[in-house]
Amino acid sequence: SKDTIMIQSHHDSVFYGAVEDGSGTASVFAQAQYFASQPANSREKTLMFATFDTHFTGYQGHMEFVRKYITDKETPYNIVANVTLEHVGKQGVSKNGGPIEVRDQPELRGIMQNLGPALKGSLISSIIRHDLRRTALLSAHALCSVGGLPTDASFVCSAGVPTVSLIAGPNYLYDLADTLDKVDNEQLVPVANVFAELIEAIDTTPSNQIGV
């Protein structure tokens, strides 16, 4: 259909970016792989997968995407929901400015969302079922309305698209220390499962009932 669910991350790290870029991009690829394995007629809405690369240069790509696809509607896609996946990493701790100690548990993370009640309830159930521990579910309604989110989804959310955005802020982000050993491999599949279930729930929800 023209109604489209957008699944998003970014690939713009200036260092190794294993958690910053790799974990989020891999999570988008996982969704693409999963849904590509299903027959197209099993979905009601179109799926769009995207990663962006202009965080460190002024977000030009992000803003142009919003202009072309959402604000000016120069394409046939009617983006009715956004799912953004970033930073599936282990917790980093540094005492008194010393070396980073990587703990074998997820970094504290937030899921910022402005979903309607039914979808929010479905998301909570999935978080519990797949044991996404150390996760806070945060309301994004006010932030999207007045200034945007502190995530890669900010411009899409501010443009009025209902958004669910997974984000964490480990202390090795934006640093040479963000190497593959920091990725929380044990959380990649649970995160993929939670968001695949959410996308499936969004797919069957009437578009005008997705967001608050």
Side-chain angles (χ1 to χ4, degrees), residues 8-212:
Q8 168 185 343
S9 193
H10 52 80
H11 60 274
D12 49 19
S13 176
V14 295
F15 299 113
Y16 300 121
V19 171
E20 183 200 345
D21 278 357
S23 66
T25 299
S27 296
V28 170
F29 286 166
Q31 299 300 326
Q33 182 182 42
Y34 169 72
F35 285 103
S37 72
Q38 313 298 319
N41 61 10
S42 68
R43 293 186 294 279
E44 297 181 17
K45 298 179 177 68
T46 293
L47 301 182
M48 174 188 289
F49 303 90
T51 67
F52 292 85
D53 66 352
T54 53
H55 177 176
F56 293 103
T57 60
Y59 290 106
Q60 296 91 337
H62 298 70
M63 291 187 285
E64 175 61 13
F65 179 93
V66 168
R67 185 202 65 77
K68 179 178 179 180
Y69 284 84
I70 300 171
T71 308
D72 293 350
K73 296 189 181 298
E74 293 181 0
T75 79
Y77 302 103
N78 178 36
I79 298 177
V80 297
N82 173 278
V83 174
T84 295
L85 303 169
E86 303 177 71
H87 312 162
V88 184
K90 296 180 180 179
Q91 185 183 30
V93 177
S94 178
K95 297 180 180 178
N96 301 319
I100 295 173
E101 172 195 346
V102 180
R103 295 184 175 174
D104 193 22
Q105 62 181 3
E107 180 63 58
L108 291 167
R109 56 197 168 192
I111 300 177
M112 300 184 180
Q113 53 75 37
N114 59 351
L115 295 172
L119 284 171
K120 182 178 178 180
S122 176
L123 176 58
I124 290 170
S125 296
S126 291
I127 290 170
I128 294 169
R129 183 165 54 253
H130 295 289
D131 196 20
L132 251 60
R133 58 188 61 206
R134 296 172 61 81
T135 300
L137 193 65
L138 306 170
S139 174
H141 182 64
L143 287 173
C144 289
S145 300
V146 300
L149 300 178
T151 80
D152 217 54
S154 182
F155 296 98
V156 174
C157 189
S158 293
V161 176
T163 296
V164 184
S165 185
L166 171 71
I167 188 94
N171 59 0
Y172 48 78
L173 214 61
Y174 312 137
D175 193 275
L176 283 167
D178 185 8
T179 47
L180 281 172
D181 59 300
K182 310 297 193 307
V183 176
D184 195 343
N185 292 325
E186 292 184 0
Q187 285 290 296
L188 289 172
V189 170
V191 166
N193 287 335
V194 166
F195 284 93
E197 290 177 2
L198 174 64
I199 292 165
E200 288 174 332
I202 293 172
D203 181 65
T204 57
T205 300
S207 296
N208 62 1
Q209 296 178 24
I210 294 172
V212 173

